[in-house]
Amino acid sequence: MTREFSRHKPIYKQIMEHICQDIVRGVYVCGNKLPSVRELAIEVGVNANTIQRVYQELERDEIVVSKRGQGTFITEDEERINVLKEEMKKEIVQRFITDMMKMGFTYDEMLTTIKEEAKNGDSSESSL
Amino acid sequence: MTREFSRHKPIYKQIMEHICQDIVRGVYVCGNKLPSVRELAIEVGVNANTIQRVYQELERDEIVVSKRGQGTFITEDEERINVLKEEMKKEIVQRFITDMMKMGFTYDEMLTTIKEEAKNGDSSESSL
DNA sequence: TTAATTGTACTAGTTTAATAGTACACTAAT
DNA sequence: ATTAGTGTACTATTAAACTAGTACAATTAA
């Protein structure tokens, strides 16, 4: 109900990312129907046009297919989903590494930091 | 000269980040004078008001101190810089971990991926 | 055919980041 | 006192993201 969106990024992109994450994690499977534009708009508390843009962009990326009168569906192309997962992973990893390097950290320090986090805050994994 | 700014983030924040990275890497030392508002504006190719906002926000964060008629300087408080470095590091690491977890990756997979990148693309480190 | 649900298109308005230009205030050097 | 360089303040304008509302098009089921 309350919208937990970062103001620092377009809402439609945040929603796109969220959907892609669900696809990649297997919450949505190939061929699954997504909520309708109006349904999802109400659910996440944004305008229907914003959701339309989300689906439009996802269709341009060949992640979903929209059919008038029927709905919007995850692509049947399983390989496309695998590629998506690799793309998303690469983007996240690259940004992490370049950001850390810009601060002067080495690969070893990056690894050590993540290992530290794994020891302490691994509660976030079991809570999901 | 040509402005290499991401359209996805306010320019003033990108400049803020760049300055903070330089501070944390030791390019700027405590007490150092930063370029004047007008100088930096020309250098990076943006409006002077944008730089003013950069320095204003950095002063609000107690990273720099502005003195009328003299210039803008890195804080003398060395501890503040240490805290800044920890804050920046934590934000980057946390975002990386949560993003990867949202995609369903484990800590082990995160570490493996970074090790892979360290083997291949370690040219970026020597080139700096 | 009719009604309901879906995606799609269009116009108008608000908010924020950034630009552009001007003016003022303070400091240091001459 | 004057000048140059600095930070600061203000107004107006532009562009993009998002909102709001309405209307149209295609599919499905009754």
Side-chain angles (χ1 to χ4, degrees):
Chain A
M1 209 62 67
T2 60
R3 332 176 201 168
E4 67 268 54
F5 292 117
S6 160
R7 280 178 296 90
H8 312 305
K9 206 168 191 177
I11 292 178
Y12 78 92
K13 278 196 182 164
Q14 296 181 51
I15 298 174
M16 279 179 71
E17 280 176 11
H18 194 273
I19 291 175
C20 285
Q21 285 160 356
D22 280 353
I23 293 173
V24 153
R25 284 217 325 279
V27 175
Y28 290 122
V29 185
C30 286
N32 272 188
K33 185 176 183 298
L34 290 167
S36 79
V37 166
R38 292 166 180 82
E39 267 179 9
L40 189 52
I42 292 170
E43 185 180 329
V44 302
V46 302
N47 190 275
N49 292 335
T50 304
I51 304 298
Q52 191 205 337
R53 176 152 191 196
V54 169
Y55 285 176
Q56 200 174 38
E57 301 264 328
L58 287 175
E59 184 160 33
R60 195 176 54 77
D61 294 343
E62 298 177 306
I63 307 297
V64 306
V65 179
S66 288
K67 298 174 187 171
R68 264 196 182 174
Q70 300 182 52
T72 302
F73 305 83
I74 309 291
T75 178
E76 298 281 358
D77 182 358
E78 201 163 343
E79 181 52 24
R80 179 66 190 91
I81 301 306
N82 294 335
V83 171
L84 172 67
K85 183 163 186 173
E86 279 308 308
E87 287 172 344
M88 291 173 67
K89 177 183 167 191
K90 179 158 191 171
E91 188 181 320
I92 293 168
V93 172
Q94 293 292 12
R95 184 175 56 184
F96 170 73
I97 291 176
T98 58
D99 283 352
M100 290 294 272
M101 279 188 166
K102 282 177 185 169
M103 288 186 60
F105 289 111
T106 65
Y107 279 112
D108 272 351
E109 288 170 312
M110 297 180 207
L111 292 170
T112 304
T113 307
I114 292 172
K115 284 175 193 165
E116 280 299 318
E117 290 295 325
K119 282 182 198 165
N120 308 335
D122 53 0
S123 58
S124 50
E125 203 172 25
S126 56
S127 73
L128 282 181
Chain B
M1 210 63 65
T2 60
R3 334 176 200 167
E4 65 269 55
F5 292 117
S6 160
R7 282 178 294 89
H8 311 306
K9 208 169 189 176
I11 292 176
Y12 78 93
K13 279 197 180 163
Q14 297 182 52
I15 298 172
M16 281 180 69
E17 281 177 11
H18 194 273
I19 291 174
C20 286
Q21 285 160 353
D22 280 354
I23 294 173
V24 152
R25 283 217 325 278
V27 175
Y28 290 123
V29 185
C30 286
N32 272 187
K33 186 176 182 297
L34 291 167
S36 79
V37 167
R38 293 167 181 80
E39 267 179 9
L40 190 53
I42 292 169
E43 186 181 328
V44 302
V46 301
N47 191 273
N49 292 335
T50 304
I51 304 298
Q52 191 203 339
R53 175 151 191 197
V54 168
Y55 285 175
Q56 200 174 39
E57 300 264 329
L58 287 175
E59 185 160 32
R60 196 176 53 77
D61 294 343
E62 298 178 306
I63 306 297
V64 305
V65 179
S66 289
K67 299 174 186 170
R68 263 196 180 175
Q70 300 183 51
T72 301
F73 306 83
I74 308 291
T75 178
E76 298 281 359
D77 182 359
E78 200 163 344
E79 181 53 23
R80 180 64 189 90
I81 301 306
N82 293 334
V83 170
L84 172 66
K85 183 164 185 172
E86 280 308 307
E87 288 172 344
M88 290 173 68
K89 177 184 167 191
K90 179 158 192 171
E91 188 181 319
I92 293 168
V93 172
Q94 292 292 12
R95 184 175 55 183
F96 171 73
I97 291 176
T98 57
D99 282 353
M100 290 293 272
M101 278 188 167
K102 282 176 185 170
M103 288 186 60
F105 289 111
T106 66
Y107 280 113
D108 273 350
E109 288 171 311
M110 298 180 207
L111 292 170
T112 303
T113 307
I114 292 172
K115 284 174 193 165
E116 280 298 319
E117 290 294 324
K119 281 182 197 165
N120 309 334
D122 52 1
S123 59
S124 50
E125 202 171 24
S126 56
S127 72
L128 281 181

